[in-house]
Amino acid sequence: AMLCFTTLCAAAGAAFAQQYPVRPITLVIPWQAGGVPDTQLRLLAEIAAKPLGQPIVVENKPGGVGTLGPAAVAANAKPDGYTITYVGTGVFRTPFLVKTTYDPRKDFTYIGGLGQYLFGVVVRSDSQLKSWQDFVAFAKANPGKLTYTTFGVNSPLHIAMEGIASNLGIRLRHIPSRGNAENNAAVLGGHVMASADGSAWAPLVDSGDFRLLVTWGKTRSKHWPNVPNLKEVGVDLAETMPYGLAGPAGMDPKVVSAIYKAFRTAMHDQRHLELLKKYDMEMFDLAPQDFSKWALDEIDRQQALIAKFAEKGEKK
């Protein structure tokens, strides 16, 4: 009887994987609507729905610097492939900063890589800060008076900026926001002097409203080749924050494969390629097994980085 039961369960699981999906899929986006991550993921969901044969419904669940949505998926979603979410560095880093309801090593099924951001620091075009050197000089002359915004306290951008400030011997004042749109509005309105963000600022740089002081990639930006990267101005840092898709732990590998293949098709669609070009972003195309390995390695890297920052703080 037990053998028959086991055989029936295996057969039912195989049949489920073959039929998947039979109803709409929910994609949880842990960012505000209207920002670059939201725009990109909505486009990918729209395109990926076609090969899957079912609509992909987007649900914005911002909060916790991009961790609230994934945490909810890990805690509440069934591992049936009908609820998936964006995951990135913030999801991997946050458990080493504050107590979380999830363990990134155990509570997710990693589906595949999607992309990586171009980060940079921008100011308003009429700012007295004409270059990164001006940024540093002003901060040194006016400790704690140079204000900048990122999308949240303990976000990868916030921690990176504080690390940069520490290395340069300057003190900055962080004004957190809830996302790309608020960052841009804060700079435009003169509420802060600078924004450290992904390339949601791209249209405003191109229009002449913003000035891009420095980018954070390993090489100079293709779209703005005259702007130096951090290493060229003496800061040993390169950060692009790759990200991808995940679901709750225990998903069927065949379902994972179906989702990844549909989104990979979407990633190479011309409409998506044009969006990447607009914001000078790059793909991070990793299949499930490779993305899982990368995620676990990145979790280890983030844990080591946080431990290193904590050690420096104790010494001070």
Side-chain angles (χ1 to χ4, degrees), residues 31-232:
W31 307 110
Q32 282 186 321
V36 173
D38 176 74
T39 301
Q40 182 198 22
L41 289 165
R42 283 177 183 272
L43 177 61
L44 288 172
E46 177 188 339
I47 301 169
K50 188 173 182 179
L52 286 169
Q54 290 288 339
I56 299 176
V57 180
V58 168
E59 179 184 329
N60 290 92
K61 203 173 186 67
V65 195
T67 64
L68 185 61
V73 169
N76 303 317
K78 295 179 180 179
D80 54 11
Y82 289 101
T83 306
I84 58 177
T85 184
Y86 162 112
V87 289
T89 302
V91 174
F92 306 146
R93 176 179 290 183
T94 301
F96 306 115
L97 293 166
V98 297
K99 186 177 181 180
T100 59
T101 59
Y102 67 89
D103 180 338
R105 293 188 176 95
K106 299 177 181 178
D107 294 335
F108 293 105
T109 299
Y110 292 106
I111 296 169
L114 291 179
Q116 46 194 334
Y117 300 110
L118 171 70
F119 290 139
V121 177
V122 295
V123 296
R124 210 164 69 174
S125 58
D126 59 359
S127 169
Q128 63 181 295
L129 308 178
K130 307 297 183 185
S131 66
W132 179 253
Q133 287 76 13
D134 288 347
F135 183 99
V136 175
F138 181 92
K140 285 185 176 180
N142 303 275
K145 292 186 178 180
L146 200 164
T147 56
Y148 77 96
T149 186
T150 73
F151 56 76
V153 174
N154 289 334
S155 66
L157 283 157
H158 173 219
I159 290 177
M161 281 294 285
E162 292 306 305
I164 291 169
S166 177
N167 288 336
L168 294 174
I170 59 178
R171 186 156 55 87
L172 307 172
R173 184 181 171 201
H174 180 231
I175 310 294
S177 79
R178 292 180 295 177
N180 299 145
E182 287 189 14
N183 288 344
N184 287 342
V187 176
L188 279 173
H191 307 298
V192 295
M193 296 176 67
S195 172
D197 199 358
S199 51
W201 36 251
L204 292 163
V205 172
D206 288 341
S207 68
D209 293 292
F210 281 178
R211 179 183 300 113
L212 179 59
L213 300 183
V214 68
T215 57
W216 293 16
K218 293 180 180 178
T219 61
R220 287 195 178 197
S221 159
K222 295 176 184 176
H223 196 73
W224 300 281
N226 295 326
V227 178
N229 65 4
L230 282 172
K231 289 197 174 183
E232 291 179 291

Side-chain angles (χ1 to χ4, degrees), residues 249-260:
M251 288 175 62
D252 188 306
K254 291 182 180 179
V255 171
V256 171
S257 178
I259 297 170
Y260 166 70

